[in-house]
Amino acid sequence: MKKIELSGAILLDENNKILLIHRNTKEMKQWELPGGKIEKGEIPEDTCIRELKEELDIQIEILKYIDCKEFEDNGIILKYNWYKCKIIKGTAKLMEDKFDDIRYFSMNELIENKELSSNMRVLVSNINIEKL
């Protein structure tokens, strides 16, 4: 089975709501963390920083490593690294056509959201975002 390693940024606002971006493609419609695939020779932290610049045109600082989980999604094993981060430069805005919305969500909104990515479902079931 194919395995992909990814990194994502947990960005919280002053109310401890988490920033998600909405992927809207023919293949997928889902809310997900900003982040992405680790490229060859790249460490997970660098992926997180690079992906946030590419997707949201912001510079971030990684505050701490949160966790890493492996799970299966559509016949692929995903290994996802989560980092609590803060924006140090810029204002988050969508930079890629595959995304059509950006929004902060409370834990209750996440639990009720039927359009979460598999990664976000794993994150919500394993980590209390409000306690980060």
Side-chain angles (χ1 to χ4, degrees), residues 3-129:
K3 185 175 182 179
I4 299 173
E5 189 170 2
L6 306 109
S7 286
I10 297 171
L11 295 166
L12 302 174
D13 70 4
E14 62 278 352
N15 299 312
N16 270 354
K17 291 184 174 186
I18 187 170
L19 181 77
L20 298 182
I21 52 181
H22 188 258
R23 181 183 298 262
N24 188 0
T25 64
K26 235 187 302 181
E27 300 80 26
M28 276 188 231
K29 291 184 184 352
Q30 64 186 20
W31 286 98
E32 57 190 61
L33 274 183
K37 294 178 192 166
I38 297 172
E39 295 179 354
K40 188 175 180 168
E42 197 172 44
I43 61 171
E45 293 88 345
D46 289 346
T47 300
C48 198
I49 292 166
R50 175 183 53 77
E51 287 283 348
L52 275 280
K53 181 67 177 159
E54 291 174 3
E55 292 178 351
L56 300 176
D57 195 28
I58 56 174
Q59 290 180 8
I60 60 164
E61 176 184 342
I62 295 176
L63 301 175
K64 68 178 179 176
Y65 169 78
I66 301 298
D67 203 356
C68 179
K69 297 283 183 197
E70 281 193 18
F71 52 94
E72 184 181 340
D73 186 33
N74 293 323
I76 299 171
I77 299 293
L78 301 176
K79 181 179 179 185
Y80 213 103
N81 301 277
W82 297 303
Y83 296 91
K84 182 178 181 184
C85 303
K86 72 174 184 177
I87 299 171
I88 57 173
K89 186 174 180 188
T91 301
K93 59 185 172 289
L94 298 173
M95 300 300 293
E96 299 178 4
D97 290 342
K98 63 186 170 188
F99 301 113
D100 67 354
D101 201 0
I102 182 171
R103 195 171 353 150
Y104 284 91
F105 290 86
S106 69
M107 193 65 176
N108 285 340
E109 291 169 324
L110 292 174
I111 291 166
E112 296 170 7
N113 192 320
K114 303 293 186 224
E115 211 175 59
L116 290 182
S117 67
S118 57
N119 166 50
M120 280 307 302
R121 288 192 304 273
V122 171
L123 178 66
V124 168
S125 64
N126 285 279
I127 294 170
N128 185 344
I129 293 161

